[in-house]
Coordinates of all heavy atoms in Angstrom, one line a residue:
M1 N -10.3 13.4 -27.7 CA -9.3 12.3 -27.6 C -9.2 11.9 -26.1 O -9.2 12.7 -25.2 CB -8.0 12.9 -28.0 CG -6.9 11.8 -27.9 SD -5.3 12.4 -28.3 CE -5.4 12.8 -30.0
L2 N -9.2 10.6 -25.9 CA -9.1 10.0 -24.5 C -7.7 9.3 -24.5 O -7.5 8.4 -25.3 CB -10.2 9.1 -24.2 CG -10.0 8.3 -22.9 CD1 -10.1 9.2 -21.7 CD2 -11.1 7.2 -22.8
I3 N -6.9 9.7 -23.5 CA -5.6 9.0 -23.3 C -5.7 8.3 -21.9 O -5.8 9.0 -20.9 CB -4.4 9.9 -23.4 CG1 -4.4 10.6 -24.7 CG2 -3.1 9.2 -23.1 CD1 -3.3 11.6 -24.9
A4 N -5.6 7.0 -21.9 CA -5.6 6.2 -20.7 C -4.2 5.7 -20.4 O -3.8 4.7 -20.9 CB -6.6 5.1 -20.7
A5 N -3.4 6.5 -19.7 CA -2.0 6.3 -19.6 C -1.6 5.3 -18.5 O -0.5 4.9 -18.3 CB -1.2 7.6 -19.5
S6 N -2.6 5.1 -17.6 CA -2.4 4.3 -16.4 C -1.4 4.9 -15.5 O -1.0 6.1 -15.6 CB -1.9 2.9 -16.9 OG -1.9 2.0 -15.7
R7 N -1.1 4.2 -14.5 CA -0.1 4.7 -13.5 C 1.0 3.7 -13.2 O 0.7 2.5 -13.3 CB -0.9 5.1 -12.2 CG -1.7 6.3 -12.3 CD -2.3 6.7 -11.0 NE -3.5 5.8 -10.8 CZ -4.1 5.7 -9.6 NH1 -3.6 6.3 -8.5 NH2 -5.1 4.9 -9.5
A8 N 2.1 4.2 -12.7 CA 3.2 3.3 -12.5 C 3.9 3.7 -11.2 O 3.8 4.8 -10.8 CB 4.2 3.3 -13.6
S9 N 4.6 2.8 -10.6 CA 5.4 3.1 -9.4 C 6.5 4.0 -9.7 O 7.1 4.0 -10.8 CB 5.9 1.7 -8.8 OG 6.9 2.0 -7.8
N10 N 6.9 4.8 -8.7 CA 8.1 5.7 -8.9 C 9.3 5.1 -8.1 O 10.2 5.9 -7.8 CB 7.8 7.1 -8.5 CG 7.5 7.3 -7.1 OD1 7.5 6.4 -6.3 ND2 7.3 8.6 -6.6
S11 N 9.2 3.8 -7.8 CA 10.3 3.3 -7.0 C 11.6 3.2 -7.8 O 12.7 3.0 -7.2 CB 9.9 1.9 -6.5 OG 9.7 1.0 -7.6
D12 N 11.5 3.4 -9.1 CA 12.8 3.5 -9.9 C 13.5 4.8 -9.5 O 14.7 4.9 -9.7 CB 12.5 3.5 -11.4 CG 11.5 4.6 -11.8 OD1 10.6 4.9 -11.0 OD2 11.6 5.1 -12.9
I13 N 12.8 5.8 -9.0 CA 13.4 7.1 -8.5 C 13.7 7.0 -7.0 O 14.7 7.4 -6.6 CB 12.5 8.2 -8.8 CG1 12.2 8.3 -10.3 CG2 13.0 9.6 -8.3 CD1 11.1 9.3 -10.7
T14 N 12.7 6.6 -6.2 CA 12.8 6.6 -4.8 C 13.6 5.5 -4.2 O 14.1 5.6 -3.1 CB 11.4 6.6 -4.1 OG1 10.6 5.5 -4.6 CG2 10.6 7.9 -4.5
R15 N 13.7 4.4 -5.0 CA 14.5 3.2 -4.6 C 14.3 2.7 -3.2 O 15.2 2.7 -2.3 CB 16.0 3.6 -4.8 CG 16.4 4.1 -6.1 CD 16.1 3.1 -7.2 NE 17.0 1.9 -7.1 CZ 18.2 1.8 -7.6 NH1 18.7 2.8 -8.3 NH2 18.9 0.7 -7.4
P16 N 13.1 2.3 -2.8 CA 12.8 1.9 -1.4 C 13.6 0.6 -1.1 O 13.9 0.4 0.1 CB 11.3 1.6 -1.4 CG 11.0 1.4 -2.9 CD 11.9 2.3 -3.6
E17 N 14.0 -0.2 -2.1 CA 14.8 -1.4 -1.8 C 16.1 -1.1 -1.1 O 16.7 -2.0 -0.5 CB 15.0 -2.2 -3.1 CG 15.9 -1.7 -4.1 CD 15.3 -0.6 -5.0 OE1 14.1 -0.2 -4.7 OE2 15.9 -0.2 -5.9
K18 N 16.6 0.1 -1.2 CA 17.8 0.5 -0.6 C 17.7 0.5 0.9 O 18.7 0.5 1.7 CB 18.3 1.9 -1.1 CG 18.9 1.9 -2.5 CD 19.6 3.2 -2.8 CE 20.4 3.1 -4.1 NZ 21.1 4.3 -4.4
T19 N 16.5 0.6 1.4 CA 16.2 0.5 2.9 C 16.0 -0.9 3.4 O 15.8 -1.1 4.6 CB 15.0 1.4 3.3 OG1 13.8 0.8 2.7 CG2 15.1 2.8 2.7
G20 N 15.9 -1.8 2.4 CA 15.6 -3.2 2.8 C 14.1 -3.5 2.5 O 13.6 -4.6 2.8
V21 N 13.4 -2.5 2.0 CA 11.9 -2.7 1.7 C 11.8 -3.4 0.3 O 12.3 -2.9 -0.7 CB 11.2 -1.4 1.7 CG1 9.8 -1.6 1.1 CG2 11.1 -0.8 3.1
K22 N 11.2 -4.6 0.3 CA 11.1 -5.3 -1.0 C 10.0 -4.8 -1.8 O 8.9 -4.4 -1.3 CB 10.9 -6.8 -0.7 CG 12.1 -7.5 -0.2 CD 11.9 -9.0 0.0 CE 13.2 -9.6 0.5 NZ 12.9 -11.0 1.0
T23 N 10.2 -4.8 -3.1 CA 9.1 -4.4 -4.1 C 8.9 -5.6 -5.0 O 9.7 -6.5 -5.1 CB 9.6 -3.2 -4.9 OG1 10.8 -3.5 -5.6 CG2 9.8 -2.0 -4.0
N24 N 7.7 -5.5 -5.6 CA 7.4 -6.6 -6.6 C 8.0 -6.3 -7.9 O 8.7 -5.3 -8.1 CB 5.9 -6.9 -6.6 CG 5.1 -5.8 -7.1 OD1 5.6 -4.9 -7.8 ND2 3.8 -5.8 -6.8
E25 N 7.6 -7.1 -8.9 CA 8.2 -7.0 -10.2 C 7.8 -5.7 -10.9 O 8.4 -5.3 -11.9 CB 7.9 -8.2 -11.1 CG 6.4 -8.3 -11.5 CD 5.5 -8.8 -10.4 OE1 6.0 -9.2 -9.3 OE2 4.2 -8.9 -10.6
K26 N 6.7 -5.1 -10.4 CA 6.3 -3.8 -11.0 C 6.7 -2.6 -10.2 O 6.4 -1.5 -10.5 CB 4.8 -3.8 -11.2 CG 4.3 -4.8 -12.2 CD 2.8 -4.6 -12.5 CE 2.4 -5.6 -13.6 NZ 0.9 -5.6 -13.8
G27 N 7.5 -2.9 -9.1 CA 8.0 -1.8 -8.3 C 7.2 -1.3 -7.2 O 7.6 -0.4 -6.4
W28 N 6.0 -2.0 -7.0 CA 5.2 -1.6 -5.9 C 5.7 -2.2 -4.6 O 6.3 -3.4 -4.6 CB 3.7 -2.1 -6.1 CG 3.1 -1.6 -7.3 CD1 2.7 -2.4 -8.4 CD2 2.7 -0.3 -7.6 NE1 2.2 -1.6 -9.4 CE2 2.2 -0.3 -8.9 CE3 2.9 0.9 -7.0 CZ2 1.7 0.9 -9.6 CZ3 2.4 2.1 -7.6 CH2 1.8 2.0 -8.9
I29 N 5.6 -1.5 -3.5 CA 6.1 -2.0 -2.2 C 5.2 -3.2 -1.7 O 4.0 -3.1 -1.7 CB 6.1 -0.9 -1.2 CG1 7.2 0.2 -1.6 CG2 6.4 -1.4 0.2 CD1 7.2 1.4 -0.7
I30 N 5.9 -4.2 -1.4 CA 5.1 -5.4 -0.9 C 4.7 -5.2 0.5 O 5.6 -4.9 1.4 CB 6.0 -6.7 -1.1 CG1 6.3 -6.9 -2.6 CG2 5.3 -7.9 -0.5 CD1 7.3 -8.0 -2.8
T31 N 3.5 -5.4 0.8 CA 3.0 -5.3 2.2 C 2.2 -6.5 2.6 O 1.6 -7.2 1.7 CB 2.0 -4.0 2.4 OG1 1.0 -4.1 1.4 CG2 2.8 -2.7 2.3
D32 N 2.2 -6.8 3.9 CA 1.4 -8.0 4.3 C 0.0 -7.5 4.8 O -0.4 -6.4 4.6 CB 2.1 -8.8 5.3 CG 2.3 -8.0 6.7 OD1 1.7 -7.0 6.8 OD2 3.0 -8.5 7.5
K33 N -0.7 -8.4 5.4 CA -2.1 -8.1 5.8 C -2.2 -7.0 6.9 O -3.2 -6.5 7.2 CB -2.9 -9.3 6.2 CG -2.2 -10.1 7.3 CD -2.8 -11.5 7.4 CE -2.0 -12.3 8.4 NZ -2.3 -13.7 8.4
Y34 N -1.0 -6.8 7.5 CA -0.9 -5.7 8.6 C -0.3 -4.4 8.0 O 0.0 -3.5 8.7 CB -0.2 -6.2 9.8 CG -0.7 -7.5 10.4 CD1 -0.1 -8.7 10.2 CD2 -1.9 -7.4 11.1 CE1 -0.7 -9.9 10.7 CE2 -2.5 -8.6 11.6 CZ -1.8 -9.8 11.4 OH -2.4 -11.0 11.9
L35 N 0.0 -4.5 6.7 CA 0.6 -3.4 6.0 C 2.1 -3.2 6.4 O 2.6 -2.1 6.2 CB -0.2 -2.1 6.1 CG -1.6 -2.1 5.4 CD1 -2.3 -0.8 5.6 CD2 -1.5 -2.5 4.0
R36 N 2.7 -4.2 6.9 CA 4.1 -4.2 7.2 C 4.8 -4.5 5.9 O 4.4 -5.2 5.0 CB 4.5 -5.3 8.2 CG 3.9 -5.1 9.5 CD 4.2 -6.3 10.4 NE 3.7 -7.5 9.9 CZ 3.5 -8.6 10.6 NH1 3.8 -8.6 11.9 NH2 3.1 -9.8 10.1
T37 N 6.0 -3.8 5.7 CA 6.9 -4.2 4.6 C 7.8 -5.3 5.0 O 7.7 -5.8 6.2 CB 7.7 -2.9 4.2 OG1 8.6 -2.6 5.2 CG2 6.8 -1.7 3.9
S38 N 8.7 -5.6 4.2 CA 9.7 -6.6 4.5 C 10.7 -6.1 5.5 O 11.5 -6.9 6.1 CB 10.4 -7.1 3.2 OG 11.0 -6.0 2.6
K39 N 10.8 -4.8 5.8 CA 11.7 -4.2 6.7 C 11.0 -3.9 8.0 O 10.0 -3.2 8.0 CB 12.3 -3.0 6.1 CG 13.4 -2.3 7.0 CD 14.7 -3.0 7.0 CE 15.7 -2.2 7.8 NZ 17.0 -3.0 7.8
E40 N 11.6 -4.4 9.1 CA 11.0 -4.2 10.4 C 10.8 -2.7 10.7 O 11.7 -1.9 10.4 CB 11.8 -4.8 11.5 CG 11.1 -4.8 12.9 CD 12.0 -5.6 13.9 OE1 13.1 -6.0 13.6 OE2 11.5 -5.7 15.0
D41 N 9.6 -2.4 11.2 CA 9.3 -1.0 11.6 C 9.1 0.0 10.4 O 9.1 1.2 10.6 CB 10.4 -0.4 12.5 CG 10.4 -1.1 13.9 OD1 9.3 -1.6 14.3 OD2 11.4 -1.0 14.5
I42 N 8.9 -0.6 9.2 CA 8.5 0.2 8.1 C 7.2 -0.3 7.5 O 7.1 -1.5 7.2 CB 9.6 0.3 7.0 CG1 10.9 0.8 7.5 CG2 9.1 1.1 5.8 CD1 12.0 1.0 6.5
W43 N 6.2 0.5 7.5 CA 4.9 0.1 7.0 C 4.6 0.9 5.7 O 5.3 1.9 5.5 CB 3.8 0.5 8.0 CG 3.6 -0.4 9.1 CD1 2.6 -1.4 9.3 CD2 4.4 -0.5 10.3 NE1 2.8 -2.1 10.5 CE2 3.9 -1.5 11.1 CE3 5.5 0.2 10.8 CZ2 4.4 -1.9 12.4 CZ3 6.1 -0.1 12.0 CH2 5.5 -1.2 12.8
A44 N 3.7 0.5 4.9 CA 3.4 1.3 3.7 C 1.9 1.3 3.5 O 1.2 0.3 3.8 CB 4.1 0.6 2.5
C45 N 1.4 2.4 3.0 CA -0.1 2.5 2.7 C -0.3 3.3 1.5 O 0.6 4.1 1.1 CB -0.8 3.1 3.9 SG -0.3 4.8 4.4
G46 N -1.5 3.2 1.0 CA -1.8 4.0 -0.2 C -1.3 3.4 -1.5 O -1.0 2.2 -1.6
D47 N -1.1 4.3 -2.5 CA -0.7 3.8 -3.8 C 0.6 3.1 -3.8 O 0.9 2.3 -4.7 CB -0.6 5.0 -4.7 CG -2.0 5.6 -5.2 OD1 -3.0 5.1 -4.7 OD2 -2.0 6.5 -6.0
A48 N 1.4 3.4 -2.8 CA 2.8 2.8 -2.8 C 2.8 1.3 -2.9 O 3.7 0.7 -3.4 CB 3.5 3.2 -1.5
N49 N 1.7 0.6 -2.4 CA 1.7 -0.9 -2.5 C 1.0 -1.4 -3.7 O 0.9 -2.6 -3.9 CB 1.1 -1.5 -1.2 CG -0.3 -1.2 -0.9 OD1 -1.0 -0.7 -1.9 ND2 -0.8 -1.3 0.3
G50 N 0.5 -0.4 -4.5 CA -0.1 -0.8 -5.8 C -1.4 -1.5 -5.7 O -1.9 -2.1 -6.8
I51 N -2.0 -1.6 -4.5 CA -3.3 -2.3 -4.4 C -4.5 -1.3 -4.4 O -4.5 -0.4 -3.6 CB -3.3 -3.1 -3.1 CG1 -2.2 -4.1 -3.1 CG2 -4.6 -3.8 -2.9 CD1 -1.9 -4.8 -1.7
H52 N -5.4 -1.5 -5.3 CA -6.6 -0.7 -5.3 C -6.3 0.8 -5.1 O -6.5 1.4 -4.1 CB -7.6 -1.1 -4.3 CG -8.1 -2.5 -4.4 ND1 -8.5 -3.1 -5.5 CD2 -8.1 -3.5 -3.4 CE1 -8.8 -4.3 -5.3 NE2 -8.5 -4.6 -4.0
M53 N -5.8 1.4 -6.1 CA -5.2 2.8 -6.0 C -6.3 3.8 -6.0 O -6.6 4.5 -7.0 CB -4.1 3.0 -7.0 CG -2.9 2.2 -6.7 SD -1.6 2.5 -7.8 CE -2.1 1.8 -9.3
Y54 N -7.0 4.0 -4.9 CA -8.1 5.0 -4.7 C -7.8 5.8 -3.4 O -7.1 5.3 -2.5 CB -9.4 4.3 -4.5 CG -9.9 3.4 -5.6 CD1 -10.0 2.1 -5.5 CD2 -10.2 4.0 -6.9 CE1 -10.4 1.3 -6.5 CE2 -10.7 3.2 -7.9 CZ -10.7 1.9 -7.8 OH -11.2 1.1 -8.8
K55 N -8.3 7.0 -3.4 CA -8.1 7.9 -2.3 C -8.7 7.3 -1.0 O -8.0 7.3 0.1 CB -8.8 9.2 -2.6 CG -8.8 10.2 -1.5 CD -7.3 10.7 -1.2 CE -7.3 11.7 -0.1 NZ -6.0 11.7 0.6
H56 N -9.9 6.7 -1.1 CA -10.5 6.2 0.2 C -9.8 5.0 0.7 O -9.7 4.7 1.9 CB -12.0 5.9 -0.1 CG -12.3 5.0 -1.2 ND1 -12.4 5.5 -2.5 CD2 -12.4 3.7 -1.4 CE1 -12.6 4.6 -3.4 NE2 -12.6 3.4 -2.7
K57 N -9.1 4.2 -0.3 CA -8.3 3.1 0.2 C -7.1 3.6 0.9 O -6.6 3.0 1.9 CB -8.0 2.2 -1.0 CG -7.5 0.8 -0.7 CD -6.0 0.5 -0.6 CE -5.0 1.3 -1.3 NZ -3.7 0.6 -1.4
A58 N -6.5 4.6 0.4 CA -5.3 5.2 1.0 C -5.6 5.7 2.4 O -4.8 5.5 3.4 CB -4.7 6.3 0.1
N59 N -6.7 6.4 2.5 CA -7.2 6.9 3.9 C -7.4 5.7 4.8 O -6.9 5.8 6.0 CB -8.5 7.7 3.7 CG -8.3 9.0 3.0 OD1 -7.1 9.4 2.7 ND2 -9.4 9.6 2.7
Y60 N -8.1 4.7 4.3 CA -8.3 3.5 5.2 C -7.0 2.9 5.6 O -6.9 2.6 6.8 CB -9.2 2.6 4.4 CG -9.3 1.2 4.9 CD1 -9.9 0.9 6.1 CD2 -8.7 0.1 4.2 CE1 -9.9 -0.4 6.6 CE2 -8.7 -1.2 4.7 CZ -9.3 -1.4 5.9 OH -9.4 -2.7 6.4
E61 N -6.1 2.7 4.7 CA -4.9 2.0 5.0 C -4.0 2.9 6.0 O -3.3 2.3 6.8 CB -4.1 1.7 3.8 CG -4.6 0.6 3.0 CD -3.7 0.2 1.8 OE1 -2.8 1.0 1.4 OE2 -3.8 -0.9 1.3
S62 N -4.1 4.2 5.9 CA -3.4 5.0 6.8 C -3.9 4.8 8.3 O -3.1 4.9 9.2 CB -3.5 6.5 6.4 OG -4.8 7.0 6.7
Q63 N -5.2 4.5 8.4 CA -5.7 4.2 9.8 C -5.1 2.9 10.3 O -4.7 2.8 11.4 CB -7.2 4.2 9.7 CG -7.9 5.5 9.4 CD -9.4 5.4 9.4 OE1 -9.9 4.4 9.0 NE2 -10.1 6.4 9.8
I64 N -5.1 1.9 9.4 CA -4.5 0.6 9.8 C -3.1 0.8 10.2 O -2.7 0.2 11.2 CB -4.6 -0.4 8.6 CG1 -6.1 -0.6 8.1 CG2 -4.0 -1.7 9.0 CD1 -6.9 -1.4 9.0
V65 N -2.3 1.5 9.5 CA -0.9 1.7 9.8 C -0.8 2.5 11.1 O 0.1 2.1 12.0 CB -0.2 2.5 8.7 CG1 1.2 3.0 9.2 CG2 0.0 1.6 7.5
F66 N -1.7 3.4 11.4 CA -1.6 4.1 12.6 C -1.8 3.2 13.8 O -1.1 3.2 14.8 CB -2.7 5.2 12.7 CG -2.8 5.9 14.0 CD1 -1.8 6.8 14.4 CD2 -3.8 5.6 14.9 CE1 -1.9 7.4 15.7 CE2 -3.9 6.2 16.1 CZ -3.0 7.1 16.5
Y67 N -2.9 2.3 13.7 CA -3.2 1.4 14.8 C -2.0 0.4 15.0 O -1.6 0.2 16.1 CB -4.4 0.6 14.5 CG -5.7 1.4 14.5 CD1 -6.6 1.4 13.5 CD2 -6.0 2.1 15.7 CE1 -7.8 2.1 13.6 CE2 -7.2 2.8 15.8 CZ -8.1 2.8 14.7 OH -9.2 3.5 14.8
N68 N -1.4 -0.1 13.9 CA -0.4 -1.1 14.0 C 1.0 -0.5 14.3 O 1.7 -1.1 15.2 CB -0.3 -1.9 12.7 CG -1.6 -2.7 12.5 OD1 -2.4 -2.9 13.5 ND2 -1.8 -3.2 11.3
A69 N 1.3 0.6 13.7 CA 2.7 1.1 13.9 C 2.8 1.9 15.2 O 3.8 1.9 15.9 CB 3.1 2.0 12.7
F70 N 1.8 2.7 15.5 CA 1.9 3.6 16.6 C 1.2 3.1 17.9 O 1.6 3.4 19.0 CB 1.2 5.0 16.2 CG 2.0 5.7 15.2 CD1 1.7 5.6 13.9 CD2 3.2 6.4 15.5 CE1 2.4 6.2 12.9 CE2 3.9 7.0 14.6 CZ 3.6 7.0 13.2
L71 N 0.2 2.3 17.7 CA -0.5 1.7 18.9 C -0.2 0.3 19.2 O -0.7 -0.3 20.2 CB -2.1 1.9 18.7 CG -2.6 3.3 18.5 CD1 -4.1 3.3 18.4 CD2 -2.1 4.3 19.5
G72 N 0.6 -0.3 18.3 CA 1.1 -1.7 18.6 C 0.0 -2.7 18.4 O 0.1 -3.8 19.0
E73 N -1.1 -2.4 17.7 CA -2.1 -3.4 17.5 C -1.9 -4.3 16.3 O -0.8 -4.1 15.6 CB -3.5 -2.6 17.3 CG -3.8 -1.8 18.6 CD -5.2 -1.2 18.5 OE1 -6.0 -1.6 17.7 OE2 -5.5 -0.3 19.4
Q74 N -2.7 -5.2 16.1 CA -2.6 -6.2 15.0 C -3.8 -6.2 14.1 O -4.5 -7.2 14.0 CB -2.3 -7.6 15.5 CG -1.0 -7.7 16.3 CD 0.2 -7.9 15.3 OE1 0.2 -8.8 14.5 NE2 1.1 -7.0 15.4
V75 N -4.1 -5.0 13.5 CA -5.3 -4.9 12.7 C -5.0 -5.3 11.3 O -4.0 -4.9 10.7 CB -5.8 -3.4 12.7 CG1 -7.1 -3.3 11.9 CG2 -6.0 -2.9 14.1
R76 N -5.8 -6.2 10.8 CA -5.6 -6.7 9.4 C -6.4 -5.9 8.4 O -7.5 -5.4 8.7 CB -6.2 -8.2 9.3 CG -5.4 -9.2 10.2 CD -6.1 -10.5 10.3 NE -6.2 -11.1 8.9 CZ -6.0 -12.4 8.7 NH1 -5.7 -13.2 9.7 NH2 -6.1 -12.9 7.5
V77 N -5.8 -5.7 7.3 CA -6.4 -4.9 6.2 C -7.3 -5.8 5.5 O -7.1 -7.0 5.3 CB -5.3 -4.3 5.3 CG1 -4.6 -5.3 4.5 CG2 -5.9 -3.2 4.5
T78 N -8.5 -5.3 5.1 CA -9.4 -6.1 4.2 C -9.9 -5.1 3.1 O -10.2 -4.0 3.4 CB -10.5 -6.7 5.0 OG1 -11.5 -7.3 4.1 CG2 -11.2 -5.6 5.9
Y79 N -10.1 -5.7 2.0 CA -10.5 -4.9 0.8 C -11.9 -5.3 0.3 O -12.3 -5.0 -0.8 CB -9.5 -5.0 -0.3 CG -8.1 -4.5 0.1 CD1 -7.1 -5.4 0.2 CD2 -7.9 -3.2 0.4 CE1 -5.8 -5.0 0.6 CE2 -6.7 -2.7 0.8 CZ -5.6 -3.6 0.9 OH -4.4 -3.2 1.3
H80 N -12.7 -5.9 1.2 CA -14.0 -6.5 0.8 C -15.0 -5.4 0.3 O -15.9 -5.7 -0.5 CB -14.6 -7.3 1.9 CG -15.1 -6.4 3.0 ND1 -14.3 -6.0 4.1 CD2 -16.3 -5.9 3.3 CE1 -15.0 -5.3 4.9 NE2 -16.2 -5.2 4.5
A81 N -14.7 -4.1 0.8 CA -15.7 -3.0 0.4 C -15.2 -2.3 -0.9 O -15.9 -1.3 -1.3 CB -15.8 -2.1 1.5
V82 N -14.1 -2.7 -1.4 CA -13.6 -2.0 -2.6 C -14.2 -2.6 -3.9 O -14.1 -3.8 -4.1 CB -12.0 -2.1 -2.7 CG1 -11.5 -1.4 -4.0 CG2 -11.4 -1.5 -1.5
P83 N -14.9 -1.8 -4.6 CA -15.5 -2.3 -5.8 C -14.4 -2.6 -6.9 O -13.7 -1.7 -7.3 CB -16.4 -1.2 -6.3 CG -15.9 0.0 -5.7 CD -15.2 -0.4 -4.5
T84 N -14.3 -3.9 -7.2 CA -13.3 -4.3 -8.2 C -13.6 -5.7 -8.7 O -14.3 -6.4 -8.1 CB -11.9 -4.3 -7.5 OG1 -10.9 -4.7 -8.5 CG2 -11.8 -5.3 -6.3
L85 N -13.0 -6.0 -9.9 CA -13.1 -7.3 -10.5 C -12.0 -8.2 -10.0 O -12.1 -9.4 -10.1 CB -13.2 -7.2 -12.0 CG -14.4 -6.4 -12.6 CD1 -14.2 -6.3 -14.1 CD2 -15.7 -7.1 -12.2
S86 N -10.9 -7.6 -9.7 CA -9.7 -8.4 -9.3 C -9.6 -8.4 -7.8 O -10.1 -7.6 -7.1 CB -8.5 -7.8 -9.9 OG -8.2 -6.5 -9.4
S87 N -8.8 -9.4 -7.3 CA -8.6 -9.5 -5.9 C -7.2 -9.7 -5.6 O -6.7 -10.9 -5.6 CB -9.5 -10.6 -5.3 OG -9.3 -10.8 -4.0
P88 N -6.4 -8.7 -5.4 CA -4.9 -8.8 -5.1 C -4.7 -9.7 -3.9 O -5.4 -9.5 -2.9 CB -4.4 -7.4 -4.9 CG -5.5 -6.5 -5.3 CD -6.8 -7.3 -5.2
S89 N -3.8 -10.6 -4.0 CA -3.5 -11.4 -2.9 C -2.4 -10.8 -2.0 O -1.6 -10.0 -2.4 CB -2.9 -12.8 -3.4 OG -1.7 -12.6 -4.1
Q90 N -2.5 -11.1 -0.7 CA -1.5 -10.6 0.3 C -1.1 -11.8 1.1 O -1.8 -12.7 1.3 CB -2.1 -9.5 1.1 CG -2.1 -8.2 0.4 CD -2.4 -7.1 1.5 OE1 -3.3 -7.2 2.2 NE2 -1.5 -6.1 1.4
K91 N 0.1 -11.6 1.7 CA 0.6 -12.7 2.6 C -0.3 -12.7 3.9 O -0.8 -11.7 4.3 CB 2.0 -12.4 2.9 CG 2.9 -12.7 1.8 CD 4.4 -12.6 2.2 CE 4.8 -11.2 2.1 NZ 6.2 -11.0 2.5
Ligands
FAD1 C1 -5.8 11.7 -12.6 C2 -6.2 10.9 -11.3 C3 -7.6 10.9 -10.9 C4 -7.9 10.2 -9.8 N1 -9.2 10.1 -9.4 C5 -9.6 9.4 -8.3 C6 -10.9 9.4 -7.9 O1 -11.8 10.0 -8.5 N2 -11.2 8.7 -6.7 C7 -10.3 8.0 -6.0 O2 -10.6 7.4 -5.0 N3 -9.0 8.1 -6.4 C8 -8.6 8.8 -7.5 N4 -7.3 8.8 -7.9 C9 -6.3 8.1 -7.1 C10 -5.9 8.8 -5.8 O3 -5.5 10.1 -6.2 C11 -4.8 8.1 -5.2 O4 -5.2 6.7 -4.9 C12 -4.4 8.7 -3.8 O5 -4.1 10.0 -4.0 C13 -3.3 7.9 -3.2 O6 -2.9 8.6 -2.0 P1 -1.4 8.4 -1.5 O7 -1.3 9.2 -0.2 O8 -1.0 7.0 -1.4 O9 -0.5 9.0 -2.6 P2 -0.4 10.6 -3.1 O10 -1.7 11.2 -3.0 O11 0.2 10.4 -4.5 O12 0.6 11.2 -2.1 C14 2.0 10.9 -2.2 C15 2.7 12.2 -1.7 O13 4.1 11.8 -1.6 C16 4.9 12.9 -2.1 N5 6.2 12.4 -2.5 C17 6.5 11.6 -3.5 N6 7.9 11.3 -3.5 C18 8.3 11.9 -2.4 C19 9.6 12.0 -1.9 N7 10.7 11.4 -2.4 N8 9.8 12.7 -0.7 C20 8.7 13.3 -0.1 N9 7.5 13.3 -0.6 C21 7.3 12.6 -1.8 C22 4.1 13.4 -3.3 O14 4.4 14.7 -3.7 C23 2.7 13.3 -2.7 O15 2.3 14.5 -2.1 C24 -6.9 9.5 -9.0 C25 -5.6 9.6 -9.4 C26 -5.2 10.3 -10.6 C27 -3.8 10.3 -11.0

């Protein structure tokens, strides 16, 4: 038997919107091309933003957040190397 249950955000439990961080209609944290959230000084990476939920994507995004949040750089995230049929849009 194969059960493909998919995955869902747990923002119904963690309630990130209480900090001012906006989520989309599915509960994923909305991030821009620099992985900033809607709340100043809060970034998000990995599965939390609901984009290409893979381990290597989470690792890659954590590097982007490090550069931007801790080093004050303006590194844009790009998903051109992620094998996928869909292309999530970002601001
Ligand atoms: C069954 C399965 C198979 C997968 N296989 C692959 C694969 O083959 N290849 C691949 O690339 N990806 C795979 N993935 C996806 C991959 O696991 C995720 O994309 C990756 O782990 C996301 O990393 P993350 O750091 O964003 O989140 P996570 O790895 O989920 O880490 C989040 C952490 O936050 C902790 N946490 C949650 N809530 C709180 C809280 N309130 N306070 C403090 N800590 C909290 C959790 O305990 C967890 O340790 C698979 C996923 C699943 C479910």
Side-chain angles (χ1 to χ4, degrees):
M1 180 186 293
L2 172 66
I3 300 176
S6 188
R7 286 183 283 164
S9 167
N10 66 358
S11 61
D12 56 327
I13 300 168
T14 55
R15 308 296 298 271
E17 69 277 7
K18 285 191 169 182
T19 67
V21 169
K22 289 185 181 166
T23 57
N24 66 19
E25 69 283 355
K26 292 186 176 176
W28 303 113
I29 292 173
I30 297 170
T31 51
D32 67 8
K33 58 194 172 191
Y34 303 104
L35 297 178
R36 296 177 299 202
T37 68
S38 56
K39 181 74 175 178
E40 190 176 2
D41 293 334
I42 300 183
W43 283 257
C45 62
D47 284 5
N49 63 20
I51 300 170
H52 303 307
M53 293 186 287
Y54 300 112
K55 177 67 179 153
H56 51 278
K57 196 262 341 194
N59 292 350
Y60 163 69
E61 285 188 340
S62 71
Q63 292 179 329
I64 301 287
V65 167
F66 174 76
Y67 289 128
N68 293 343
F70 293 97
L71 303 183
E73 297 187 15
Q74 294 278 303
V75 182
R76 295 168 64 138
V77 71
T78 173
Y79 301 113
H80 70 276
V82 178
T84 180
L85 295 175
S86 63
S87 178
S89 62
Q90 280 196 309
K91 286 186 277 182

